[in-house]
C-alpha cells in the first residue's frame, strides 16, 4: 500500500512570494485541492470566502493570527514530490510540507527531499514523519519535531 512520507519546514515569516516561487520551482504542474477558501477555515460561521488563491494568500500575509492549511497535488508524474502542504500558523509563520511516496522516514528518497527543501527554504526547524499534518502553531511545531525523525548532517 502506498503511503506518504511527509517532511515539514518552519519558515519564520509569511510571504506569499515565497509560496509562488516554491510552486514555480517544485510544482509547476499543480492542482489546488480546494475550490474555495472560507475564513475561518473550520467552524460554523464564515466571515468571508475567497474564490482564488491569490486573494487568500494576500489576506493571510496581512493577518498573522489566522491559521490555515492548504494542499496541492503535483500533476507531474515523474516528480518525487507528490503533494505540497502549506500551514499558516496562528503566530505569523508558515510550515511548508513535502510529501513523497514511501514507508521509511529515513529512506534515501526521503533524505534527499529533506536536504533539498532545507537548502531551499532555510527553516529554523524541520522534521520527517509519516502521514501526519503539522500543528497550527510554531511552538507546537517545535515540540512536534522533537518527537519526529530529524536527520543529522555529518561531515
Amino acid at each position: 500500500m502506498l503511503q506518504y512520507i511527509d517532511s515539514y519546514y518552519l519558515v519564520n515569516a509569511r510571504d506569499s512570494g515565497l509560496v509562488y516561487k516554491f510552486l514555480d520551482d517544485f510544482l509547476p504542474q499543480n492542482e489546488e485541492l480546494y475550490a474555495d477558501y472560507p475564513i475561518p477555515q473550520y467552524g460554523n460561521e464564515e466571515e468571508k470566502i475567497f474564490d482564488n488563491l491569490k486573494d487568500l494568500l494576500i489576506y493571510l500575509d496581512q493577518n498573522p493570527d489566522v491559521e490555515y492549511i492548504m494542499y496541492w497535488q503535483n500533476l507531474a508524474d515523474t516528480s518525487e514530490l507528490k503533494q505540497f502542504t502549506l500551514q499558516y500558523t496562528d503566530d505569523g509563520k508558515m510550515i511548508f510540507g513535502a510529501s513523497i511516496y514511501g514507508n521509511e522516514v529515513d529512506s534515501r528518497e526521503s533524505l534527499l527531499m529533506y536536504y533539498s527543501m532545507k537548502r531551499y527554504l532555510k527553516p529554523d526547524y524541520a522534521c520527517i514523519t509519516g502521514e501526519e499534518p503539522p500543528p497550527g502553531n510554531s511552538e507546537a511545531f517545535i515540540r512536534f519535531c522533537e518527537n519526529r525523525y530529524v536527520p543529522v548532517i555529518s561531515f
Side-chain angles (χ1 to χ4, degrees):
M1 182 172 119
L2 284 178
Q3 178 178 326
Y4 280 131
I5 299 171
D6 302 317
S7 53
Y8 295 113
Y9 311 86
L10 178 65
V11 176
N12 275 328
R14 292 184 175 199
D15 179 3
S16 56
L18 178 59
V19 175
Y20 288 121
K21 184 169 175 16
F22 183 90
L23 288 168
D24 285 345
D25 290 345
F26 289 95
L27 283 94
Q29 299 174 31
N30 69 69
E31 178 179 58
E32 300 166 41
L33 298 182
Y34 295 109
D36 59 13
Y37 306 95
I39 300 292
Q41 187 170 24
Y42 304 109
N44 295 333
E45 293 189 34
E46 298 168 344
E47 295 173 21
K48 57 178 61 188
I49 297 177
F50 294 98
D51 62 1
N52 68 73
L53 182 65
K54 180 181 178 187
D55 291 343
L56 174 67
L57 294 182
I58 290 169
Y59 176 84
L60 292 171
D61 280 352
Q62 296 171 350
N63 292 276
D65 60 333
V66 175
E67 180 182 344
Y68 214 88
I69 192 166
M70 294 166 270
Y71 300 91
W72 286 262
Q73 176 181 352
N74 193 346
L75 299 177
D77 291 335
T78 58
S79 176
E80 193 73 36
L81 180 60
K82 300 302 179 191
Q83 184 173 292
F84 166 54
T85 304
L86 181 62
Q87 170 75 49
Y88 279 81
T89 65
D90 65 5
D91 55 357
K93 300 176 184 189
M94 296 186 300
I95 300 169
F96 283 69
S99 299
I100 66 170
Y101 291 142
N103 294 311
E104 301 295 327
V105 295
D106 60 350
S107 68
R108 179 180 186 279
E109 295 80 10
S110 177
L111 294 174
L112 288 172
M113 182 63 64
Y114 179 83
Y115 292 129
S116 174
M117 293 293 128
K118 278 205 62 159
R119 277 191 302 278
Y120 187 88
L121 295 168
K122 298 174 181 47
D124 288 337
Y125 293 91
C127 62
I128 304 173
T129 187
E131 295 193 357
E132 189 174 15
N137 176 277
S138 65
E139 294 298 320
F141 180 74
I142 292 167
R143 289 189 303 276
F144 177 85
C145 285
E146 289 171 355
N147 295 304
R148 304 305 180 281
Y149 180 61
V150 178
V152 177
I153 299 173
S154 59
F155 297 97

